[in-house]
Amino acid sequence: MSADNCGENVSLPLRNLLNSIQCIRDRVRDGESNESDGAFNLSNFWDSLNQAVKAVSHEATKLSLAFSKPPLPSQQDVEKLSESTLKSVLSLSTVYYWLPKSQGISLRRQVRDATVEVLEGVAQLVEVILSSPLQSLSQDQLTSTGGVWSACDHFARLPQDNKAAVLMVLSDQIGVVKDAIEEIEQALSEDQDPFSDVLDNDQEPRGNQDTYWSEKDRRVIGPCQGLMKAAAACLRKLTSAVKANGDVATSQNLAQLDDLADITKEISPGLDDLALCLYPPMDYSGVENNVSKLASLLKKVLGIIRSSHVCGESQLTWVQFLDGAVDHNLQKAKDLIQQDS
């Protein structure tokens, strides 16, 4: 909103609103929840949270509409709009703080991130209103308003308990690992320079042999792929185990689910590090280092699964099988790397 179109009396409440929302957002992002002394009712929490989210969406829409066409709202109207918007934002953050960590860290993180996304969306909308000339509804304002709606709609897709939150983490990890495996498989299936897609159209293909895999390179890649596939199988099997046996009735089981979520988040970075060093020219010491790291991580993951409540008799079979597969592929990769060296 330009200075000509927006008097100081109208913009001041908006600037105060923006500062308040940004402070609330920062507190939600970095703050701790309130621990409940008594019994916590998760169902009541979700009812209250969804009502608070609807109120924020409603207030953001009212604010956007007020500044969507001339004439400017009066100072009194802007003050009322700012107050009601701030009230809805405070209510949302307050309800978020009701969720104690004892309901599960994974759940709380996802609710926190969704809450922060809404607060950032409302702050961005206020910024756009302050900076846009009041001639017509700007594209930026439409986009920002839509951004708030989208962030609010996301709450309907949030996991409702810690088991569901952990399953969402696992699903994300499975997707990332699957993509990394497919990239390597695609590169191996192509007989050409694996970096040809980054060459300019007018550049000649490079003749440097360092851009191609040697026969030894390809042999070394085999057990590395085996380790990657073991990681993918571990995530898939763990997902099934959590679905079947995951329990949120005790603090110990909640903590175990969080431990599983946290350790599995380390798999995709470890797998990416290994995948990157497989591209030519292949540095065998780097491959051996990263294959050892990934194998060690997978052994740790399998150990945590084995000692958790999600591992019953039927799960123990695949845990032991994958443990052996990790050892086999690690040793095979090391043997191949050390050949002819």
Side-chain angles (χ1 to χ4, degrees), residues 281-297:
M282 192 182 284
D283 170 20
Y284 290 137
S285 64
V287 174
E288 186 169 4
N289 182 40
N290 282 298
V291 85
S292 297
K293 282 183 180 177
L294 181 58
S296 175
L297 174 61

Side-chain angles (χ1 to χ4, degrees), residues 37 78 89 123 128 130 217 256 283 287 289 308 336 340:
D37 292 332
V78 175
V89 164
V128 166
L130 277 165
D217 290 347
Q256 286 178 355
D283 170 20
V287 174
N289 182 40
S308 77
L336 287 167
D340 307 322

Side-chain angles (χ1 to χ4, degrees), residues 53-73:
V53 169
K54 284 178 185 175
V56 172
S57 180
H58 178 67
E59 292 300 330
T61 303
K62 275 169 52 181
L63 188 66
S64 185
L65 285 172
F67 290 93
S68 63
K69 60 184 179 181
L72 271 175

Side-chain angles (χ1 to χ4, degrees), residues 12 27 45 56 61 73 146 156 166-167 178 183 202 232 269 306 321:
L12 184 60
R27 284 203 299 271
F45 165 77
V56 172
T61 303
V166 170
L167 286 170
K178 182 171 175 280
E183 278 182 32
D202 57 350
R306 185 186 279 113
F321 173 79

Side-chain angles (χ1 to χ4, degrees), residues 127-182:
E127 282 184 298
V128 166
I129 291 172
L130 277 165
S131 62
S132 300
L134 188 71
Q135 294 164 348
S136 62
L137 185 63
S138 71
Q139 185 58 49
D140 283 347
Q141 190 174 329
L142 279 170
T143 302
S144 297
T145 307
V148 175
W149 294 341
S150 177
C152 291
D153 289 345
H154 179 61
F155 276 77
R157 301 188 297 277
L158 284 176
Q160 298 297 293
D161 61 23
N162 208 48
K163 175 179 174 178
V166 170
L167 286 170
M168 197 167 283
V169 170
L170 291 171
S171 176
D172 290 344
Q173 291 300 305
I174 287 171
V176 175
V177 167
K178 182 171 175 280
D179 288 346
I181 292 171
E182 287 176 353

Side-chain angles (χ1 to χ4, degrees), residues 7-65:
E8 184 65 23
N9 290 341
V10 174
S11 63
L12 184 60
L14 291 176
R15 283 203 296 271
N16 290 337
L17 173 63
L18 176 60
N19 289 335
S20 297
I21 294 170
Q22 289 171 336
C23 288
I24 294 166
R25 175 203 62 198
D26 292 344
R27 284 203 299 271
V28 168
R29 183 187 284 139
D30 303 324
E32 293 294 329
S33 62
N34 301 321
E35 279 303 327
S36 173
D37 292 332
F40 178 79
N41 190 311
L42 194 57
S43 178
N44 287 350
F45 165 77
W46 281 113
D47 288 342
S48 299
L49 189 67
N50 288 325
Q51 287 301 316
V53 169
K54 284 178 185 175
V56 172
S57 180
H58 178 67
E59 292 300 330
T61 303
K62 275 169 52 181
L63 188 66
S64 185
L65 285 172

Side-chain angles (χ1 to χ4, degrees), residues 60-208:
T61 303
K62 275 169 52 181
L63 188 66
S64 185
L65 285 172
F67 290 93
S68 63
K69 60 184 179 181
L72 271 175
S74 68
Q75 180 188 350
Q76 187 178 16
D77 286 341
V78 175
E79 287 174 351
K80 283 182 180 177
L81 283 166
S82 297
E83 284 173 13
S84 58
T85 302
L86 181 58
K87 184 179 176 183
S88 72
V89 164
L90 280 167
S91 176
L92 173 60
S93 65
T94 299
V95 175
Y96 158 72
Y97 278 121
W98 291 352
L99 182 63
K101 286 190 286 187
S102 57
Q103 288 296 311
I105 300 297
S106 301
L107 176 65
R108 189 168 176 274
R109 279 177 187 153
Q110 292 185 40
V111 176
R112 178 199 64 199
D113 291 348
T115 303
V116 168
E117 188 182 2
V118 169
L119 299 178
E120 286 182 339
V122 179
Q124 184 184 38
L125 173 61
V126 176
E127 282 184 298
V128 166
I129 291 172
L130 277 165
S131 62
S132 300
L134 188 71
Q135 294 164 348
S136 62
L137 185 63
S138 71
Q139 185 58 49
D140 283 347
Q141 190 174 329
L142 279 170
T143 302
S144 297
T145 307
V148 175
W149 294 341
S150 177
C152 291
D153 289 345
H154 179 61
F155 276 77
R157 301 188 297 277
L158 284 176
Q160 298 297 293
D161 61 23
N162 208 48
K163 175 179 174 178
V166 170
L167 286 170
M168 197 167 283
V169 170
L170 291 171
S171 176
D172 290 344
Q173 291 300 305
I174 287 171
V176 175
V177 167
K178 182 171 175 280
D179 288 346
I181 292 171
E182 287 176 353
E183 278 182 32
I184 286 290
E185 288 176 346
Q186 183 180 352
L188 282 167
S189 68
E190 296 169 353
D191 293 330
Q192 62 197 34
D193 179 350
F195 293 109
S196 59
D197 60 333
V198 298
L199 292 175
D200 293 334
N201 291 333
D202 57 350
Q203 282 183 274
E204 289 296 321
R206 294 170 295 175
N208 186 349

